[in-house]
Amino acid sequence: MARAAQLERRKLTDFCMTALTEAARKTIAEHETLVLSDRDRGVFFDALIDPPVLSEQLQRAFAEHKRRVTR
């Protein structure tokens, strides 16, 4: 690491903090990014544009969730 910092004419601490920050950002992005196939992307956007009608069972589930969780 010292050699790499020296090649970039930076202090070792600065070089290490930059490398750690970049690694952390990459790790977070890899875990928070969802990649969809073309088919999945189409299904997702179609559901946003024209959402399906909720069944009675799903409406009851949402109501129960709201009753239990959002008090």
Side-chain angles (χ1 to χ4, degrees), residues 10-64:
R10 294 165 59 189
K11 292 181 180 180
L12 180 58
T13 303
D14 178 51
F15 180 84
C16 290
M17 288 303 297
T18 301
L20 287 171
T21 301
E22 289 174 15
R25 285 186 181 141
K26 180 181 174 191
T27 299
I28 291 168
E30 287 173 356
H31 285 86
E32 291 183 347
T33 302
L34 178 65
V35 178
L36 300 176
S37 68
D38 289 339
R39 178 185 165 279
D40 291 339
R41 191 177 306 108
V43 170
F44 176 77
F45 284 113
D46 288 346
L48 287 177
I49 293 168
D50 185 22
V53 177
L54 299 180
S55 68
E56 285 184 40
Q57 186 178 9
L58 189 53
Q59 288 178 14
R60 284 193 306 271
F62 277 129
E64 182 66 14

